Amino acid sequence: MRSTGAARWIIAAPMALLAIATIYPMLYTLNIALKSRVDYVLDRGGLTTDFNFQNFVDAWTQANMGRYYLNSIFVTVVSVALILLISSMAGFALSHLTFRGSRATFLLILAAMMIPFQVIMVPFIKTLSDFSMINTYPGLIVAYVSQFLPFTIYFMTAYFARIPKEITEAARVDGNTIYGVFGRIMLPLGRPALLSMGILNALFCWNDILISLLVMQSPSQRTLMVGVSALRGQYPDNVPTYLAGVLLVVLPLIVVYLIFQRQITTGVTAGATKG
Amino acid sequence: MTALLGSRPDVPTDVRPGAASAKRRPRRRFTLERAAPLVLVFPAIAILLVFRVYPLALGVNFSFTGDQELNGVFIGLDNYVTLFTDVRFHAAARNVIVVLLFVPLEVLVAGILATFIFLKVPGHRFYRSVYFLPVVLSPIIIGAIFNIVLAANGPLNDVNKALGLPVIDWLGQSNSALPSVLGVHIWATFGMALVIFLAGFSTVDQELLDAARIDGASLGQTIWYVVIPELSQTIQFVFVTTTIGMLTGIFGLLYTMTAGGPGAASYLPEFLIWKLNGEAKPALASAASVVLLLLILVIGLLQIRVLRRATKEV
């Protein structure tokens, strides 16, 4: 399946162009964010010369970004912790234990995975408000947990199913309770899957806009993405400061991506190949 | 069993030390252990029933009731009638067809690029990393960046000018707004389809490839007769996830880039539902949700089929 050397270089050329097309918009944004407002108006396209970091300072201090960061970090961390705990418990039960209703439970999870949030958004908000959870952090956390749980359970079930049942049976013969097997055997063995799902769900929660817009309506409780999308209105005629704010949000995502690339791709490819 | 044990009272049934004390309080431990599977799945089931299944039923019910002064009153199919005569609904329905036309494009682009990367073109690792990068970025960020890039006075139009092409207000014209947003969506997500393809490639039986080479198959023949049949599951999976992504994952881009406009030119069902809900017409929005559900259901049943096969164990 190896093509000849020359052909491979010919293929590489359009791929390089596409790579540039992928990175260019981000570099363009960085270039503008480093310009002063005057410089931007006079010469949009040219490379920045003054490396004006004031835009970043302005975006951070004036636009309440620090507060939005804290809100997003809090909600993301709690949601992801709950998702991982609940999904690994369910995944263990579904893959290693036999009980009545396990098939029905698995079907419920698949069905829940199929229903996109948009379809239930109106009654979901109604349900949340019946619990008085609109505009509260628990409300947003419950929204994220219920949204991202089905896929994570599916993933954990598939992952645990690959661990031989002999291991869990041996652990029980050694005198462990089922809970002991879960805590001492399954969770440690499931660490790669938990890491993968942890990163992926953190990205989902961090990047969400629709759920956050619906659940959190007061400005001080905004998550980062809602805060950033509001920046545009705050700086209608100051594009460099707006884009500096955007880059402050991009930065942690790129760092996470560079560190956890492998875990992220493992997460998104689940179910794509034969058993 | 009792009779059997009773006939040999002198033989201890369990000689392990501590067996007797373990037997003294067997009931409680026994039931907690027996309940373990249910204890473990209970939180998941409870959350899904309360926050997924119940709202779904509630929403279907909503869709047959009225809004505002008719709140809670059964009005039959009136919402659906209103919906089917709404221009924004027509726009959204038309746009779904446009969206479905873009799906094969994304799958094809990702498939071809994945093939090249699988063939280890120079720099394949680098390309793989770069192509996937936008996947981790929020649609809000991507939308913000492309608002600038696609602006009437933005860099893309600078390129057009330099090449002598007409300057286009990509997001401001009704015939280019949605295709532009979909193009950005493909830019942002083809890396996802690409890594799924690569995961599929890694399962292709190397012996089949070697056999094809020994038999003198050309690269094209190898791809057509060996790789594609081997990848059928992956290809289905990519089609389903890409379609669902396009129908339910563009809200963030629409919200930042076009707000559904100009007019209703770039409305999609998810945006329409959000908009109707915001206009204090939750019942009408619920009717639109049911329509979207039916659409997703067809695609979702395909998805279940594909996923069930991937976890044969359950």
Side-chain angles (χ1 to χ4, degrees), chain A residues 40-89:
Chain A
Y40 173 74
V41 173
L42 292 178
D43 175 23
R44 257 178 320 108
L47 273 178
T48 180
T49 46
D50 47 1
F51 291 95
N52 185 340
F53 286 96
Q54 191 57 38
N55 294 324
F56 291 88
V57 178
D58 288 349
W60 182 267
T61 52
Q62 294 166 18
N64 218 1
M65 295 269 285
R67 177 64 204 258
Y68 300 152
Y69 251 95
L70 284 181
N71 291 348
S72 273
I73 290 172
F74 173 71
V75 170
T76 300
V77 167
V78 177
S79 303
V80 170
L82 286 173
I83 291 169
L84 293 184
L85 178 68
I86 297 170
S87 66
S88 51
M89 282 162 55

Short mmCIF file of all heavy atoms in Angstrom, two decimals, chain A residues 40-89:
data_model
loop_
_atom_site.label_atom_id
_atom_site.label_comp_id
_atom_site.label_asym_id
_atom_site.label_seq_id
_atom_site.Cartn_x
_atom_site.Cartn_y
_atom_site.Cartn_z
N TYR A 40 -5.20 49.01 13.50
CA TYR A 40 -6.16 48.12 12.86
C TYR A 40 -6.95 48.85 11.79
O TYR A 40 -7.17 48.34 10.69
CB TYR A 40 -7.11 47.52 13.90
CG TYR A 40 -8.23 46.71 13.30
CD1 TYR A 40 -7.99 45.45 12.76
CD2 TYR A 40 -9.53 47.22 13.26
CE1 TYR A 40 -9.01 44.70 12.20
CE2 TYR A 40 -10.55 46.47 12.70
CZ TYR A 40 -10.29 45.22 12.16
OH TYR A 40 -11.30 44.50 11.60
N VAL A 41 -7.39 50.06 12.13
CA VAL A 41 -8.21 50.82 11.18
C VAL A 41 -7.38 51.21 9.95
O VAL A 41 -7.85 51.12 8.81
CB VAL A 41 -8.79 52.08 11.86
CG1 VAL A 41 -9.50 52.97 10.84
CG2 VAL A 41 -9.75 51.67 12.98
N LEU A 42 -6.11 51.60 10.19
CA LEU A 42 -5.26 52.05 9.08
C LEU A 42 -4.81 50.90 8.19
O LEU A 42 -4.79 51.02 6.97
CB LEU A 42 -4.03 52.78 9.64
CG LEU A 42 -4.33 54.11 10.31
CD1 LEU A 42 -3.05 54.72 10.86
CD2 LEU A 42 -5.00 55.07 9.33
N ASP A 43 -4.45 49.78 8.80
CA ASP A 43 -3.87 48.70 8.02
C ASP A 43 -4.29 47.36 8.63
O ASP A 43 -3.62 46.83 9.50
CB ASP A 43 -2.34 48.84 8.01
CG ASP A 43 -1.68 47.67 7.30
OD1 ASP A 43 -2.37 47.03 6.48
OD2 ASP A 43 -0.51 47.39 7.58
N ARG A 44 -5.41 46.83 8.16
CA ARG A 44 -5.94 45.60 8.74
C ARG A 44 -5.06 44.39 8.46
O ARG A 44 -4.77 43.59 9.32
CB ARG A 44 -7.34 45.32 8.18
CG ARG A 44 -8.45 45.66 9.12
CD ARG A 44 -9.78 45.40 8.46
NE ARG A 44 -9.81 45.80 7.07
CZ ARG A 44 -9.84 44.94 6.06
NH1 ARG A 44 -9.86 43.67 6.30
NH2 ARG A 44 -9.85 45.38 4.83
N GLY A 45 -4.65 44.27 7.18
CA GLY A 45 -4.01 43.04 6.75
C GLY A 45 -2.54 42.91 7.14
O GLY A 45 -2.05 41.80 7.31
N GLY A 46 -1.85 44.03 7.31
CA GLY A 46 -0.41 43.98 7.52
C GLY A 46 -0.03 43.32 8.83
O GLY A 46 -0.83 43.25 9.76
N LEU A 47 1.21 42.83 8.88
CA LEU A 47 1.69 42.23 10.12
C LEU A 47 1.81 43.30 11.20
O LEU A 47 2.22 44.42 10.92
CB LEU A 47 3.04 41.58 9.90
CG LEU A 47 3.04 40.13 9.41
CD1 LEU A 47 4.47 39.65 9.21
CD2 LEU A 47 2.32 39.24 10.40
N THR A 48 1.45 42.92 12.41
CA THR A 48 1.54 43.89 13.49
C THR A 48 3.01 44.23 13.77
O THR A 48 3.89 43.40 13.62
CB THR A 48 0.87 43.35 14.76
OG1 THR A 48 1.00 44.34 15.77
CG2 THR A 48 1.55 42.07 15.24
N THR A 49 3.22 45.47 14.14
CA THR A 49 4.59 45.88 14.46
C THR A 49 4.72 46.25 15.93
O THR A 49 5.79 46.15 16.51
CB THR A 49 5.01 47.10 13.62
OG1 THR A 49 3.95 48.05 13.66
CG2 THR A 49 5.28 46.71 12.18
N ASP A 50 3.60 46.68 16.53
CA ASP A 50 3.75 47.23 17.89
C ASP A 50 3.48 46.22 19.01
O ASP A 50 3.66 46.52 20.16
CB ASP A 50 2.86 48.48 18.06
CG ASP A 50 1.45 48.25 17.55
OD1 ASP A 50 1.18 47.12 17.09
OD2 ASP A 50 0.64 49.17 17.62
N PHE A 51 3.06 44.99 18.68
CA PHE A 51 2.81 43.96 19.69
C PHE A 51 2.13 44.54 20.94
O PHE A 51 2.70 44.59 22.01
CB PHE A 51 4.10 43.23 20.06
CG PHE A 51 4.60 42.38 18.94
CD1 PHE A 51 5.56 42.84 18.06
CD2 PHE A 51 4.04 41.12 18.73
CE1 PHE A 51 5.98 42.06 17.01
CE2 PHE A 51 4.46 40.33 17.67
CZ PHE A 51 5.44 40.81 16.81
N ASN A 52 0.91 44.96 20.69
CA ASN A 52 0.15 45.67 21.70
C ASN A 52 -0.60 44.67 22.60
O ASN A 52 -1.62 44.14 22.21
CB ASN A 52 -0.84 46.59 20.97
CG ASN A 52 -1.61 47.47 21.90
OD1 ASN A 52 -1.70 47.19 23.08
ND2 ASN A 52 -2.15 48.53 21.37
N PHE A 53 -0.06 44.40 23.79
CA PHE A 53 -0.73 43.43 24.67
C PHE A 53 -1.82 44.08 25.51
O PHE A 53 -2.48 43.41 26.28
CB PHE A 53 0.31 42.73 25.57
CG PHE A 53 1.13 41.73 24.82
CD1 PHE A 53 2.37 42.06 24.32
CD2 PHE A 53 0.62 40.45 24.59
CE1 PHE A 53 3.11 41.12 23.61
CE2 PHE A 53 1.36 39.51 23.87
CZ PHE A 53 2.61 39.86 23.38
N GLN A 54 -1.99 45.39 25.34
CA GLN A 54 -3.00 46.11 26.10
C GLN A 54 -4.40 45.54 25.84
O GLN A 54 -5.23 45.50 26.74
CB GLN A 54 -2.96 47.60 25.73
CG GLN A 54 -3.79 48.50 26.64
CD GLN A 54 -3.38 48.37 28.10
OE1 GLN A 54 -2.20 48.24 28.43
NE2 GLN A 54 -4.36 48.37 29.00
N ASN A 55 -4.64 45.07 24.59
CA ASN A 55 -5.95 44.51 24.25
C ASN A 55 -6.32 43.36 25.16
O ASN A 55 -7.46 43.22 25.58
CB ASN A 55 -5.96 44.02 22.81
CG ASN A 55 -5.82 45.17 21.83
OD1 ASN A 55 -6.34 46.25 22.07
ND2 ASN A 55 -5.10 44.93 20.74
N PHE A 56 -5.32 42.51 25.45
CA PHE A 56 -5.58 41.35 26.30
C PHE A 56 -5.91 41.80 27.71
O PHE A 56 -6.83 41.27 28.35
CB PHE A 56 -4.37 40.41 26.29
CG PHE A 56 -4.15 39.74 24.97
CD1 PHE A 56 -3.38 40.33 23.98
CD2 PHE A 56 -4.76 38.51 24.71
CE1 PHE A 56 -3.20 39.71 22.76
CE2 PHE A 56 -4.59 37.89 23.49
CZ PHE A 56 -3.81 38.49 22.50
N VAL A 57 -5.16 42.79 28.19
CA VAL A 57 -5.42 43.32 29.52
C VAL A 57 -6.83 43.91 29.58
O VAL A 57 -7.60 43.65 30.51
CB VAL A 57 -4.36 44.38 29.90
CG1 VAL A 57 -4.66 44.98 31.26
CG2 VAL A 57 -2.96 43.77 29.87
N ASP A 58 -7.18 44.68 28.55
CA ASP A 58 -8.50 45.31 28.52
C ASP A 58 -9.61 44.27 28.52
O ASP A 58 -10.58 44.36 29.27
CB ASP A 58 -8.65 46.18 27.26
CG ASP A 58 -7.81 47.45 27.37
OD1 ASP A 58 -7.31 47.71 28.48
OD2 ASP A 58 -7.66 48.15 26.36
N ALA A 59 -9.46 43.27 27.64
CA ALA A 59 -10.50 42.24 27.53
C ALA A 59 -10.66 41.54 28.87
O ALA A 59 -11.77 41.26 29.31
CB ALA A 59 -10.15 41.24 26.44
N TRP A 60 -9.53 41.26 29.53
CA TRP A 60 -9.59 40.52 30.78
C TRP A 60 -10.24 41.36 31.89
O TRP A 60 -11.12 40.90 32.60
CB TRP A 60 -8.18 40.09 31.20
CG TRP A 60 -8.19 39.29 32.47
CD1 TRP A 60 -8.03 39.76 33.73
CD2 TRP A 60 -8.38 37.89 32.58
NE1 TRP A 60 -8.11 38.74 34.64
CE2 TRP A 60 -8.34 37.56 33.96
CE3 TRP A 60 -8.60 36.85 31.67
CZ2 TRP A 60 -8.49 36.25 34.44
CZ3 TRP A 60 -8.76 35.55 32.14
CH2 TRP A 60 -8.71 35.27 33.51
N THR A 61 -9.81 42.62 32.01
CA THR A 61 -10.26 43.42 33.15
C THR A 61 -11.65 44.02 32.92
O THR A 61 -12.51 43.95 33.79
CB THR A 61 -9.27 44.55 33.45
OG1 THR A 61 -9.03 45.27 32.24
CG2 THR A 61 -7.97 44.01 33.99
N GLN A 62 -11.89 44.60 31.74
CA GLN A 62 -13.14 45.31 31.54
C GLN A 62 -14.32 44.39 31.28
O GLN A 62 -15.46 44.70 31.60
CB GLN A 62 -13.01 46.29 30.37
CG GLN A 62 -12.04 47.42 30.67
CD GLN A 62 -11.68 48.15 29.40
OE1 GLN A 62 -12.36 48.05 28.39
NE2 GLN A 62 -10.58 48.89 29.45
N ALA A 63 -14.05 43.24 30.66
CA ALA A 63 -15.18 42.40 30.23
C ALA A 63 -15.52 41.31 31.23
O ALA A 63 -16.28 40.41 30.91
CB ALA A 63 -14.87 41.78 28.87
N ASN A 64 -14.96 41.38 32.45
CA ASN A 64 -15.35 40.43 33.48
C ASN A 64 -14.94 39.00 33.14
O ASN A 64 -15.57 38.05 33.59
CB ASN A 64 -16.88 40.47 33.67
CG ASN A 64 -17.26 40.32 35.13
OD1 ASN A 64 -16.39 40.20 35.99
ND2 ASN A 64 -18.55 40.30 35.40
N MET A 65 -13.89 38.86 32.34
CA MET A 65 -13.51 37.52 31.88
C MET A 65 -13.06 36.63 33.04
O MET A 65 -13.25 35.42 33.00
CB MET A 65 -12.37 37.62 30.86
CG MET A 65 -12.77 38.31 29.59
SD MET A 65 -13.39 37.16 28.37
CE MET A 65 -11.88 36.43 27.86
N GLY A 66 -12.41 37.24 34.06
CA GLY A 66 -11.95 36.45 35.19
C GLY A 66 -13.11 35.72 35.84
O GLY A 66 -13.05 34.52 36.12
N ARG A 67 -14.20 36.44 36.04
CA ARG A 67 -15.38 35.85 36.65
C ARG A 67 -15.95 34.72 35.79
O ARG A 67 -16.28 33.64 36.27
CB ARG A 67 -16.45 36.95 36.85
CG ARG A 67 -17.77 36.49 37.41
CD ARG A 67 -17.59 35.95 38.82
NE ARG A 67 -18.64 35.01 39.18
CZ ARG A 67 -19.65 35.33 39.96
NH1 ARG A 67 -19.74 36.52 40.48
NH2 ARG A 67 -20.56 34.43 40.26
N TYR A 68 -16.03 34.98 34.46
CA TYR A 68 -16.56 33.95 33.56
C TYR A 68 -15.70 32.70 33.58
O TYR A 68 -16.19 31.58 33.54
CB TYR A 68 -16.66 34.48 32.13
CG TYR A 68 -17.55 35.68 31.96
CD1 TYR A 68 -17.33 36.60 30.94
CD2 TYR A 68 -18.62 35.91 32.81
CE1 TYR A 68 -18.13 37.70 30.77
CE2 TYR A 68 -19.43 37.01 32.66
CZ TYR A 68 -19.18 37.91 31.64
OH TYR A 68 -19.98 39.01 31.49
N TYR A 69 -14.37 32.92 33.65
CA TYR A 69 -13.46 31.78 33.74
C TYR A 69 -13.77 30.92 34.95
O TYR A 69 -13.89 29.71 34.85
CB TYR A 69 -12.01 32.28 33.84
CG TYR A 69 -11.18 32.04 32.61
CD1 TYR A 69 -11.04 33.02 31.64
CD2 TYR A 69 -10.52 30.83 32.41
CE1 TYR A 69 -10.28 32.81 30.52
CE2 TYR A 69 -9.76 30.61 31.28
CZ TYR A 69 -9.64 31.60 30.33
OH TYR A 69 -8.89 31.39 29.21
N LEU A 70 -13.91 31.59 36.11
CA LEU A 70 -14.19 30.84 37.33
C LEU A 70 -15.51 30.09 37.21
O LEU A 70 -15.60 28.92 37.58
CB LEU A 70 -14.24 31.79 38.53
CG LEU A 70 -12.88 32.27 39.04
CD1 LEU A 70 -13.06 33.18 40.25
CD2 LEU A 70 -12.00 31.07 39.42
N ASN A 71 -16.54 30.75 36.68
CA ASN A 71 -17.83 30.09 36.51
C ASN A 71 -17.68 28.83 35.67
O ASN A 71 -18.17 27.75 36.01
CB ASN A 71 -18.83 31.02 35.82
CG ASN A 71 -19.24 32.18 36.71
OD1 ASN A 71 -18.96 32.18 37.90
ND2 ASN A 71 -19.89 33.16 36.13
N SER A 72 -16.99 28.99 34.52
CA SER A 72 -16.84 27.85 33.61
C SER A 72 -16.04 26.72 34.25
O SER A 72 -16.38 25.55 34.10
CB SER A 72 -16.15 28.29 32.32
OG SER A 72 -17.10 28.77 31.41
N ILE A 73 -14.95 27.09 34.95
CA ILE A 73 -14.12 26.04 35.56
C ILE A 73 -14.93 25.28 36.59
O ILE A 73 -14.95 24.05 36.60
CB ILE A 73 -12.85 26.66 36.21
CG1 ILE A 73 -11.91 27.15 35.11
CG2 ILE A 73 -12.16 25.65 37.11
CD1 ILE A 73 -10.72 27.94 35.64
N PHE A 74 -15.66 26.00 37.43
CA PHE A 74 -16.45 25.34 38.48
C PHE A 74 -17.47 24.38 37.88
O PHE A 74 -17.51 23.19 38.23
CB PHE A 74 -17.15 26.40 39.35
CG PHE A 74 -18.12 25.81 40.33
CD1 PHE A 74 -17.65 25.11 41.44
CD2 PHE A 74 -19.49 25.94 40.16
CE1 PHE A 74 -18.54 24.55 42.34
CE2 PHE A 74 -20.38 25.39 41.05
CZ PHE A 74 -19.90 24.70 42.15
N VAL A 75 -18.25 24.89 36.96
CA VAL A 75 -19.32 24.07 36.38
C VAL A 75 -18.73 22.87 35.65
O VAL A 75 -19.23 21.74 35.77
CB VAL A 75 -20.20 24.92 35.44
CG1 VAL A 75 -21.14 24.04 34.65
CG2 VAL A 75 -20.97 25.95 36.23
N THR A 76 -17.65 23.09 34.90
CA THR A 76 -17.05 22.00 34.13
C THR A 76 -16.50 20.92 35.05
O THR A 76 -16.75 19.73 34.86
CB THR A 76 -15.92 22.55 33.24
OG1 THR A 76 -16.47 23.53 32.35
CG2 THR A 76 -15.27 21.45 32.42
N VAL A 77 -15.76 21.33 36.08
CA VAL A 77 -15.14 20.34 36.97
C VAL A 77 -16.19 19.49 37.68
O VAL A 77 -16.12 18.25 37.68
CB VAL A 77 -14.22 21.04 38.01
CG1 VAL A 77 -13.82 20.07 39.12
CG2 VAL A 77 -12.98 21.59 37.32
N VAL A 78 -17.20 20.13 38.23
CA VAL A 78 -18.22 19.37 38.95
C VAL A 78 -18.99 18.46 37.99
O VAL A 78 -19.22 17.28 38.28
CB VAL A 78 -19.19 20.31 39.71
CG1 VAL A 78 -20.28 19.50 40.39
CG2 VAL A 78 -18.43 21.15 40.72
N SER A 79 -19.36 18.98 36.84
CA SER A 79 -20.12 18.17 35.89
C SER A 79 -19.33 16.95 35.46
O SER A 79 -19.85 15.83 35.45
CB SER A 79 -20.48 18.98 34.63
OG SER A 79 -21.19 20.13 34.97
N VAL A 80 -18.06 17.17 35.11
CA VAL A 80 -17.26 16.06 34.61
C VAL A 80 -17.07 15.01 35.70
O VAL A 80 -17.17 13.81 35.44
CB VAL A 80 -15.90 16.56 34.07
CG1 VAL A 80 -14.96 15.40 33.79
CG2 VAL A 80 -16.11 17.39 32.82
N ALA A 81 -16.82 15.44 36.94
CA ALA A 81 -16.65 14.48 38.03
C ALA A 81 -17.90 13.62 38.18
O ALA A 81 -17.81 12.38 38.29
CB ALA A 81 -16.34 15.21 39.33
N LEU A 82 -19.06 14.25 38.15
CA LEU A 82 -20.31 13.49 38.28
C LEU A 82 -20.52 12.54 37.10
O LEU A 82 -20.90 11.39 37.27
CB LEU A 82 -21.50 14.45 38.40
CG LEU A 82 -21.63 15.16 39.74
CD1 LEU A 82 -22.72 16.21 39.69
CD2 LEU A 82 -21.93 14.14 40.85
N ILE A 83 -20.25 13.05 35.90
CA ILE A 83 -20.43 12.21 34.71
C ILE A 83 -19.55 10.96 34.81
O ILE A 83 -20.00 9.84 34.57
CB ILE A 83 -20.08 13.00 33.43
CG1 ILE A 83 -21.11 14.09 33.18
CG2 ILE A 83 -20.00 12.07 32.22
CD1 ILE A 83 -20.71 15.08 32.09
N LEU A 84 -18.29 11.15 35.20
CA LEU A 84 -17.37 10.01 35.25
C LEU A 84 -17.80 9.00 36.32
O LEU A 84 -17.78 7.79 36.08
CB LEU A 84 -15.94 10.49 35.54
CG LEU A 84 -15.29 11.30 34.42
CD1 LEU A 84 -13.85 11.63 34.78
CD2 LEU A 84 -15.34 10.58 33.09
N LEU A 85 -18.21 9.50 37.48
CA LEU A 85 -18.61 8.59 38.55
C LEU A 85 -19.84 7.77 38.14
O LEU A 85 -19.84 6.54 38.17
CB LEU A 85 -18.90 9.38 39.83
CG LEU A 85 -19.37 8.50 41.00
CD1 LEU A 85 -18.23 7.60 41.46
CD2 LEU A 85 -19.89 9.35 42.15
N ILE A 86 -20.89 8.50 37.70
CA ILE A 86 -22.14 7.82 37.38
C ILE A 86 -21.97 6.87 36.20
O ILE A 86 -22.49 5.75 36.20
CB ILE A 86 -23.24 8.87 37.10
CG1 ILE A 86 -23.49 9.70 38.36
CG2 ILE A 86 -24.52 8.20 36.65
CD1 ILE A 86 -24.37 10.91 38.12
N SER A 87 -21.20 7.30 35.20
CA SER A 87 -21.09 6.47 34.00
C SER A 87 -20.22 5.24 34.24
O SER A 87 -20.49 4.18 33.69
CB SER A 87 -20.53 7.29 32.84
OG SER A 87 -19.22 7.66 33.14
N SER A 88 -19.18 5.37 35.10
CA SER A 88 -18.38 4.17 35.32
C SER A 88 -19.13 3.16 36.17
O SER A 88 -19.02 1.95 35.96
CB SER A 88 -17.02 4.51 35.93
OG SER A 88 -17.17 5.32 37.05
N MET A 89 -19.95 3.65 37.12
CA MET A 89 -20.79 2.73 37.89
C MET A 89 -21.73 1.97 36.96
O MET A 89 -21.81 0.73 36.98
CB MET A 89 -21.62 3.52 38.92
CG MET A 89 -20.84 3.94 40.16
SD MET A 89 -21.65 5.27 41.10
CE MET A 89 -23.26 4.61 41.39
#
